[in-house]
Amino acid sequence: MIPFNIPSRTGIEQKYVLDAISAQKLCGDGPYSRRCESWFESVLNVGKTYLTPSCTHALELAALLIDIQPGDEVIMPSYTFVSTANAFALRGAKIVFVDIRADTQNLDERLVESAITDRTRAIVPVHYAGISCSMNEIMAIADRHGLYVIEDAAQGMMASFEGRPLGGIGHLGTYSFHETKNYTSGGEGGLLIVNDDRFQKRAEIIREKGTNRKQFLRGVVDKYSWVDVGSSYLPSELQAAYLWGQLEAAEKINDYRLMLWRNYYDALSPMQDQGLVSLPVVPSAARHNGHMFYLKLSGLDQRDRLIDCLKQRGVQAPFHYVPLHDTAVGRKWGRLHGSDQQTSKTANSLLRLPMWYGLAEKDQLEVIGWVKDFFTSEG
Ligand SMILES: Cc1ncc(COP(=O)(O)O)c(C=O)c1O
């Protein structure tokens, strides 16, 4: 069996997790959490960072920080994970879905401006497959209309746009360390990135149950108390310790994934040249992180035939998002702006091939061989 994903593991994580256990300091914001956060700030060079229990939580924190109120509108693609929308729907926002681009499957920046109304508060670009959205256009639109940009960079760690790390461009950004992502903090985890300094003080308060506990720990106040709304958005030290083992090997993991990605691309591009399949497009301003290798086929029937064909050979190759605008809840709490030219087409034609740190090249060659055989058998 060749699974679609195996959680990334370098081998050093156990040592750090055991060390955290021995230190008898397991709650959040301990030494491993601080080490991870300063790595993001100094090595990736993004704004102030806060580890969270998931990317979903980081998005929820972002919605609280920009003070989303019932009836506010938030623009995002419909081709995304449910948490991108839910974080804002939880605060009563109306989700305004905009179609995606045919090349990158990312929010189509050319359609964003016409979706803006006087209720619009934010734009949430999702960097699908770790390949950047057109951030210059999106930031310029937000600037013209006084909107916030929250990058859902769940899949984007180690990827960049014009040399700037994804998640480090908008006012706020988020990463996921779920086990399906390039780096994991032991199965679940996330990061909130605060690039706009105005949000820093409140971010640490909301994350600490609405208290000024962080100020107390820094000796700024002599006791801490309830000062704002908030929740518990700290992961444990065990998660941070696991993540530290991955951050130390961040380049190695990235290089391996990029090598696998290029193998797929080089082997399958002759089929793209023959018009049989579409492969991922990486815009010249973007550097991706090998998060995902996807194929787009002629449509639903052919895509499902390839999924079945690979399944019979023991290969997991799943499809991906179900468009959010086309769900009962999406219709209730959201609306599609304009028409759906690409979103459903992508959802119906895309499948993802196995990709993880450590996937053996000989196994990858088998997968490639079976994909090629499939197209030969399709005539
Ligand atoms: C685009 C996107 N946003 C948000 C999330 C949520 O991440 P998490 O599972 O860490 O909450 C995911 C997870 O798959 C995702 O793909």
Side-chain angles (χ1 to χ4, degrees):
M1 209 284 276
I2 303 180
F4 166 65
N5 174 63
I6 290 182
S8 174
R9 187 165 156 217
T10 64
I12 194 78
E13 296 89 348
Q14 291 95 311
K15 180 174 160 227
Y16 295 140
V17 170
L18 287 174
D19 182 49
I21 293 171
S22 324
Q24 298 180 314
K25 174 81 180 82
L26 298 176
C27 67
D29 280 352
Y32 280 105
S33 300
R34 284 197 297 274
R35 211 175 280 176
C36 290
E37 289 173 354
S38 62
W39 187 91
F40 288 113
E41 290 157 18
S42 58
V43 179
L44 281 196
N45 204 15
V46 293
K48 184 92 184 80
T49 60
Y50 302 88
L51 289 179
T52 56
S54 66
C55 181
T56 303
H57 285 93
L59 288 162
E60 286 177 18
L61 239 168
L64 282 164
L65 276 174
I66 63 165
D67 209 17
I68 289 290
Q69 297 295 318
D72 286 350
E73 293 183 1
V74 178
I75 295 172
M76 63 181 66
S78 163
Y79 190 67
T80 184
F81 190 66
V82 66
S83 296
T84 319
N86 241 342
F88 299 91
L90 257 177
R91 310 255 67 82
K94 186 97 184 160
I95 311 301
V96 179
F97 296 112
V98 167
D99 209 6
I100 53 172
R101 296 178 57 106
D103 51 0
T104 56
Q105 331 315 316
N106 281 336
L107 183 68
D108 191 333
E109 70 284 355
R110 296 160 297 193
L111 306 175
V112 169
E113 199 147 25
S114 65
I116 295 172
T117 71
D118 53 7
R119 302 302 309 259
T120 308
R121 297 286 317 289
I123 306 169
V124 188
V126 177
H127 304 295
Y128 187 69
I131 298 173
S132 177
C133 296
S134 303
M135 289 310 291
N136 286 339
E137 287 80 357
I138 290 170
M139 293 308 290
I141 294 168
D143 212 32
R144 276 200 293 281
H145 295 271
L147 307 176
Y148 291 118
V149 174
I150 297 161
E151 295 176 74
D152 182 340
Q155 305 168 10
M157 184 181 143
M158 299 294 278
S160 61
F161 172 78
E162 292 184 348
R164 298 169 70 190
L166 300 192
I169 303 167
H171 301 87
L172 300 165
T174 62
Y175 288 167
S176 172
F177 306 127
H178 183 263
E179 68 169 27
T180 51
K181 303 304 185 293
N182 295 18
Y183 305 90
T184 181
S185 47
E188 302 280 352
L191 188 79
L192 174 72
I193 303 167
V194 177
N195 301 309
D196 182 332
D197 296 348
R198 285 174 297 172
F199 294 116
Q200 262 185 39
K201 194 169 165 207
R202 196 158 177 249
E204 66 176 36
I205 289 173
I206 295 176
R207 183 168 166 269
E208 265 284 15
K209 300 95 181 162
T211 72
N212 53 355
R213 184 163 179 269
K214 282 266 226 187
Q215 290 174 14
F216 169 70
L217 294 175
R218 285 198 297 270
V220 179
V221 291
D222 56 8
K223 58 178 183 312
Y224 72 90
S225 61
W226 188 13
V227 294
D228 202 340
V229 293
S231 189
S232 185
Y233 288 122
L234 279 72
S236 89
E237 270 290 277
L238 298 183
Q239 286 164 284
Y242 195 104
L243 182 62
W244 182 245
Q246 308 242 308
L247 297 186
E248 277 193 333
E251 286 289 351
K252 198 171 155 202
I253 293 173
N254 199 45
D255 289 348
Y256 196 88
R257 296 189 74 111
L258 287 173
M259 180 271 293
L260 292 174
W261 194 98
R262 275 192 298 270
N263 288 348
Y264 276 135
Y265 194 90
D266 293 347
L268 299 175
S269 56
M271 286 174 12
Q272 173 164 255
D273 298 341
Q274 292 167 50
L276 298 173
V277 72
S278 300
L279 305 183
V281 171
V282 183
S284 58
R287 267 190 57 194
H288 73 99
N289 58 2
H291 173 62
M292 184 196 299
F293 197 88
Y294 65 78
L295 306 178
K296 287 208 296 179
L297 290 99
S298 64
L300 187 62
D301 289 346
Q302 193 188 38
R303 194 272 308 273
D304 288 352
R305 278 201 302 281
L306 179 53
I307 289 179
D308 277 352
C309 167
L310 291 173
K311 193 171 160 193
Q312 279 164 27
R313 286 158 178 81
V315 177
Q316 279 179 337
F319 56 88
H320 208 183
Y321 305 129
V322 174
L324 294 179
H325 77 273
D326 213 9
T327 60
V329 169
R331 276 188 286 273
K332 188 167 152 204
W333 289 329
R335 68 178 159 80
L336 176 68
H337 171 79
S339 60
D340 172 5
Q341 299 290 320
Q342 293 302 331
T343 300
S344 297
K345 215 169 165 180
T346 290
N348 289 334
S349 61
L350 183 146
L351 72 75
R352 297 171 289 162
L353 295 178
M355 167 73 85
W356 72 87
Y357 175 61
L359 168 62
E361 284 184 84
K362 72 169 181 29
D363 289 344
Q364 187 187 27
L365 272 176
E366 286 199 9
V367 175
I368 290 168
W370 286 320
V371 171
K372 286 183 169 170
D373 288 352
F374 170 80
F375 281 100
T376 309
S377 72
E378 289 277 293

